Amino acid sequence: MTVEAQRTEAAGRTRRPPLALAAAGAGVAVLAVIPLVYLVVRSLEAFAAIPETLLRPRVGELLANSVVLALAVGAACLVLGTASGWVLARVRLPVRAAWLVLAALPLAVPSYLAAYGWLVAVPRLSGFWPSWMVLTMACTPYVTLPVAAALRSSSGELESVARSLGRHPLQAFLTVTWPRIAPSALAGVLIALLYTLSDFGAVSMLRFETLTWGIHSAYSSAFDRSQAALLSVVLVLLAFAVVVSERRLRRRVPATPSRSVPASFPVRPSLAPLLSALAIVPLLGVVVPMAGLLARLLQAETLREIDLGRFAAATASTLALGAAAAALTVLLALPVAALAARYRGALVSVVESLSFVGQALPGIVVGLSLVFFTLAVVPALYQGVAALVFAYAVLFLPRAVGSVRSGLALVPPHLLDVSRSLGAGRIASWARVTVPLALPSVGVAACLVAISVAKELPATLLLRPTGVSTLATELWGRTEVAEYGAAAPYAAMLVLVAAVPAVLLSGVASTPREES
């Protein structure tokens, strides 16, 4: 890109946005915060009961369980993820590409699906430690991948110098290397904390009672729904604290050179503990659960238990909801992403920040708040498809905005100026220049949302229309009553449905883009 083009782009990011675009972005921001605002309003209606509710020993127990589980998962992810990332970056592994895929594979398996696979193998599994194990395996890649990237972009020469001066390898790593990769590692840990705090499916299947379990139980009891709202506010406050910390750490991640540093250590026996850390995550997080699923699926009695009509309906509902949510979420993301990619200022900052509120709202909180909202404001939408799709849009809008924003940012503003100077109007220039260049990122956003919708459980449980089930809700319902054989087909189809957008995502993401 020329200097003149860079100046044009910088000017484009500082001028005032068009009124229509600013209004559209503000409208999306308002929609995104409806669940949070109404949840606070609903909680204030029970203001007199706040001290009594929050000081109950049971609430303290649920809060302690959530915090302890999140901290335990975060600590384990930090150790396993840092060790695995170091191996991926520093050790000359055979078939490195395969190890990279295995390290990321647990991200494709929902925690409740992994819990189901373990329950098939060990039906009596329950409590804190199984929940800790399942969630640790699900979240470790959030640390492994950024740590590996940070290490691959930084030289290990200083670490070698420290060892040559008599430092133990671990001391050398902690003294020289850790300060450089700590922001990336801790940012991944904070994502793991947020994931654990918001998890409902795994802890419910494994019978470990956390805040999400308490919220669902309080809502299911028609006698104390105010407690569900108050518990949701507590969970949101915890999640917001994590999100704020993660964003601060993300700003501290240092810029790294684009050139990758080659691995420097051969595979040797002394590295066995670190190599085992790399292998144990996909083994316990993917291989064992999927083996249990496959074994149960191939049993003859499982095939006889399949209700083909219900199975087909759940699959169709999952696909339809995913497509509808992807379309709505991308549509809402476009004005916010356009503002963030092209303009600066207080309005743009506020709109972008409010659109990311869903990142700190667990699915069960969004579902519960929209239940309250629809009953009080728009009863016609209660337990309707529109409310459910809107909940998905709020939850996954941050993912879509991030992807679309990155695509729009790659379109140089001077190309639009050239198009308009040649006689094309604003809309025609946008259609001819911006759309083709940003389309791959829009496709990535749609695939990300579709994958997330297929796996979303708590919001779906609360908002789905009567008689409508998805693969996730069918799987959860059957495992809740220990019908593991009947749940196996739904689990297998869920893996396939989530895999299809993932394959499309890899193809879309690899589409070449024009260089400016």
Side-chain angles (χ1 to χ4, degrees):
M1 183 183 294
T2 65
V3 173
E4 183 63 31
Q6 291 176 346
R7 290 175 179 172
T8 302
E9 182 172 3
R13 283 185 56 82
T14 56
R15 65 176 183 261
R16 181 177 299 177
L19 182 60
L21 182 61
V28 172
V30 170
L31 291 175
V33 298
I34 284 178
L36 178 60
V37 171
Y38 195 78
L39 179 65
V40 173
V41 171
R42 182 68 179 81
S43 301
L44 292 178
E45 292 176 357
F47 183 79
I50 291 178
E52 178 186 356
T53 299
L54 298 184
L55 292 177
R56 291 176 183 174
R58 182 62 173 157
V59 174
E61 180 183 349
L62 295 176
L63 178 60
N65 285 348
S66 293
V67 172
V68 170
L69 179 62
L71 293 176
V73 169
C77 288
L78 179 62
V79 174
L80 283 175
T82 303
S84 301
W86 188 90
V87 171
L88 288 172
R90 291 285 190 256
V91 179
R92 295 195 291 270
L93 296 169
V95 289
R96 175 182 299 278
W99 282 107
L100 286 170
V101 172
L102 287 175
L105 202 55
L107 295 177
V109 180
S111 59
Y112 58 85
L113 185 55
Y116 163 78
W118 276 98
L119 285 170
V120 168
V122 189
R124 296 181 180 275
L125 212 59
S126 66
F128 173 83
W129 291 111
S131 301
W132 169 80
M133 184 269 294
V134 167
L135 289 170
T136 296
M137 298 305 110
C139 295
T140 295
Y142 291 121
V143 180
T144 299
L145 299 180
V147 165
L151 286 170
R152 290 280 290 172
S153 298
S154 61
S155 173
E157 294 178 357
L158 293 178
E159 193 174 332
S160 300
V161 170
R163 288 199 303 270
S164 69
L165 295 175
R167 294 289 182 93
H168 185 274
L170 180 59
Q171 290 178 323
F173 173 82
L174 294 176
T175 302
V176 177
T177 305
W178 172 250
R180 305 181 67 182
I181 66 170
S184 297
L186 294 178
V189 168
L190 291 172
I191 295 175
L193 292 175
L194 186 62
Y195 187 101
T196 304
L197 287 173
S198 63
D199 181 78
F200 170 73
V203 295
S204 297
M205 289 183 181
L206 296 170
R207 304 294 191 270
F208 184 68
E209 299 175 359
T210 61
L211 277 173
T212 54
W213 181 91
I215 292 168
H216 188 269
S217 298
Y219 168 75
S220 300
S221 171
F223 303 105
D224 196 9
R225 291 190 175 180
S226 62
Q227 180 180 350
L230 294 175
L231 290 177
S232 296
V233 171
V234 173
L235 184 58
V236 167
L237 292 176
L238 287 175
F240 263 115
V242 172
V243 169
V244 170
S245 301
E246 189 273 334
R247 295 192 75 173
R248 287 184 177 180
L249 280 176
R250 186 171 51 189
R251 295 193 189 102
R252 292 172 51 198
V253 176
T256 54
S258 58
R259 183 180 63 86
S260 294
V261 178
S264 55
F265 294 97
V267 176
R268 54 194 183 196
S270 61
L271 296 176
L274 297 177
L275 294 171
S276 64
L278 178 62
I280 196 171
V281 175
L283 176 63
L284 299 184
V286 179
V287 175
V288 173
M290 292 301 101
L293 167 62
L294 184 61
R296 180 54 62 96
L297 187 62
L298 295 178
Q299 292 178 357
E301 59 269 22
T302 297
L303 299 177
R304 290 194 296 268
E305 291 175 356
I306 299 178
D307 183 339
L308 292 179
R310 188 160 186 167
F311 179 74
T315 304
S317 297
T318 301
L319 294 174
L321 289 171
L328 176 62
T329 308
V330 169
L331 182 64
L332 294 177
L334 284 173
V336 178
L339 285 172
R342 287 283 179 259
Y343 305 97
R344 290 178 180 170
L347 174 63
V348 175
S349 178
V350 169
V351 167
E352 185 179 13
S353 297
L354 290 180
S355 71
F356 274 77
V357 164
Q359 187 176 354
L361 294 179
I364 195 169
V365 172
V366 172
L368 184 65
S369 62
L370 288 179
V371 166
F372 292 146
F373 178 78
T374 53
L375 283 174
V377 182
V378 279
L381 297 182
Y382 175 65
Q383 284 193 323
V385 173
L388 180 56
V389 172
F390 178 68
Y392 292 144
V394 171
L395 285 169
F396 307 127
L397 182 62
R399 305 180 190 187
V401 168
S403 178
V404 177
R405 179 184 58 198
S406 65
L408 293 176
L410 293 176
V411 182
H414 71 275
L415 293 183
L416 292 173
D417 295 335
V418 170
S419 176
R420 297 193 65 184
S421 70
L422 295 176
R426 184 186 298 272
I427 296 178
S429 297
W430 181 82
R432 294 176 182 176
V433 177
T434 304
V435 170
L437 294 178
L439 193 58
S441 294
V442 174
V444 168
C447 288
L448 284 173
V449 174
I451 293 172
S452 302
V453 169
K455 300 188 293 184
E456 171 59 30
L457 176 62
T460 310
L461 286 173
L462 292 173
L463 293 169
R464 59 181 172 146
T466 302
V468 174
S469 297
T470 65
L471 294 170
T473 60
E474 289 288 351
L475 170 62
W476 184 83
R478 279 162 172 72
T479 53
E480 193 178 32
V481 293
E483 294 180 354
Y484 301 124
Y490 296 96
M493 181 56 70
L494 180 60
V495 172
L496 292 177
V497 168
V500 170
V503 172
L504 294 176
L505 179 60
S506 63
V508 171
S510 62
T511 302
R513 298 172 180 171
E514 293 186 21
E515 296 292 338
S516 57

